[in-house]
Amino acid sequence: MPRLVVVLIAALALGPARARADERPLCRETPSDVEVRGRLALVRAYVRAEEAPARRWYTTFLFLHGAMAAGSIMLAASGEQNDGQRVDMTVNAISSTLAVLTMITATPPMIGVGGTLDAMPDDSPEQRLAKLRVAEDALRREANAIAFVDSWLPATGTALYTTAASSTLLLGFDRLGAAYTTIFGGIVLGHGRLLLRPRGTRGRWRAYRDRFPDAACDEAAAPSSGARYDVGLVGLGLGLTIQF
C-alpha cells in the first residue's frame, strides 16, 4: 500500500504550475458617473447570464466526485471485499477525494459574484465605481480561468494523473481490469469536466474589454504587494498560479 500512495502523490505533483504577469491595465481617467452606470448595468447582465451555468457545472461535478469518493470509501472499508477489490476501491477513493479537494479550493470566480455585487452599496459615484471595478475583475478572472481550462496543461495533467493511477493498479497490484477501467473512466470524467466548463464569459469579456480598454484596471497609486498565489484546477489535480 505505501507504493500506491507514493505513486498517486507523485502524479498529483506533476500537476503543472503556471506563472504570469498581471495583465490588468493601469487606471488613468476616471469614467463619468453616467458611463459607470451604463457599464455596471451591462456587467450585471453578463453576471446574471453566466453565473447560473457556472454554478450548475460546479455543483454537478462536485456532487459526482463526492458521491464517488464516499461510495469508494465505504466499499474499501467493507469486510465483504477481497484484497484486490479493496485496492481498486482505495485508488478510486483517493482519486475522487483529490478531485473534490481541487474543486473546493478552486471555485470558478463567477460563482457568488451576483451576491457580492448586491451587497455592495451604490449610493454615490465612488461606490458605483468601486462596484464596477469588482464586477469587471470577476469577469476578467473568470475569462482567465476559462482560457487556462482550454490550454493544453489541464488535459495533459488529467492524462498523466489517470495514467499514474492505472499504472499503480497494473504494475503494483496486477489489477488489469481495474487499470483499464481507471484510465478510461478517469480520462472520460476528467476531460468531460474540462469540455463541459461554461465558456460564455470569455467571449463577453473580450467584447467588453475591446469596448472599454480600462476595464478591470489597476489603480496606479496602489503599490505592489509582491507575488500573489492562486490554486486552480488541472484536470483531476492542482495547478499553482503565481502573479507578480
Side-chain angles (χ1 to χ4, degrees), residues 29-46 128-129 132-133 135-136 139 205 208-209 211-217:
E29 295 184 2
T30 302
S32 66
D33 189 48
V34 173
E35 181 180 346
V36 168
R37 288 175 181 267
R39 288 168 62 170
L40 187 56
L42 182 60
V43 174
R44 290 302 303 270
Y46 290 168
R128 286 188 286 272
L129 178 59
L132 175 65
R133 296 307 188 201
E136 289 177 342
L139 290 181
W205 171 245
Y208 183 89
R209 186 184 55 191
R211 183 177 176 184
F212 306 107
D214 67 331
C217 65

Side-chain angles (χ1 to χ4, degrees), residues 18-25 140 144 209 218 224 226-228 241-244:
R18 56 193 173 109
R20 60 178 176 80
D22 196 343
E23 299 177 355
R24 296 172 61 184
R140 180 188 66 86
N144 286 344
R209 186 184 55 191
D218 196 8
S224 175
R228 290 178 292 173
T241 301
I242 306 176
Q243 296 184 1
F244 301 96

Side-chain angles (χ1 to χ4, degrees), residues 137-226:
D137 190 59
L139 290 181
R140 180 188 66 86
R141 290 185 291 109
E142 178 75 4
N144 286 344
I146 294 169
F148 179 65
V149 166
D150 284 344
S151 69
W152 63 271
L153 293 176
T156 302
T158 297
L160 289 174
Y161 184 90
T162 53
T163 299
S166 62
S167 297
T168 299
L169 288 168
L170 179 61
L171 302 178
F173 299 94
D174 197 26
R175 302 291 294 173
L176 178 61
Y180 279 118
T181 301
T182 297
I183 192 168
F184 287 116
I187 289 177
V188 168
L189 183 59
H191 284 83
R193 191 172 81 178
L194 298 175
L195 291 173
L196 293 175
R197 176 72 155 86
R199 289 168 167 79
T201 302
R202 181 172 56 180
R204 295 180 188 271
W205 171 245
R206 287 175 176 173
Y208 183 89
R209 186 184 55 191
D210 291 341
R211 183 177 176 184
F212 306 107
D214 67 331
C217 65
D218 196 8
E219 296 292 343
S224 175
S225 59

Side-chain angles (χ1 to χ4, degrees), residues 89-160:
M89 292 300 102
T90 299
V91 171
N92 291 336
I94 293 174
S95 299
S96 297
T97 299
L98 291 175
V100 170
L101 292 176
T102 60
M103 299 203 72
I104 291 176
T105 57
T107 304
M110 184 57 60
I111 295 180
V113 175
T116 298
L117 296 177
D118 289 339
M120 294 183 67
D122 55 5
D123 299 325
S124 68
E126 293 77 15
Q127 290 174 340
R128 286 188 286 272
L129 178 59
K131 193 171 187 176
L132 175 65
R133 296 307 188 201
V134 170
E136 289 177 342
D137 190 59
L139 290 181
R140 180 188 66 86
R141 290 185 291 109
E142 178 75 4
N144 286 344
I146 294 169
F148 179 65
V149 166
D150 284 344
S151 69
W152 63 271
L153 293 176
T156 302
T158 297
L160 289 174

Side-chain angles (χ1 to χ4, degrees), residues 62-88:
L62 181 62
F63 174 81
L64 180 61
H65 288 306
M68 293 176 63
S72 298
I73 291 173
M74 288 188 292
L75 289 175
S78 173
E80 299 178 359
Q81 304 291 322
N82 58 42
D83 291 340
Q85 293 171 331
R86 189 171 292 108
V87 167
D88 299 344

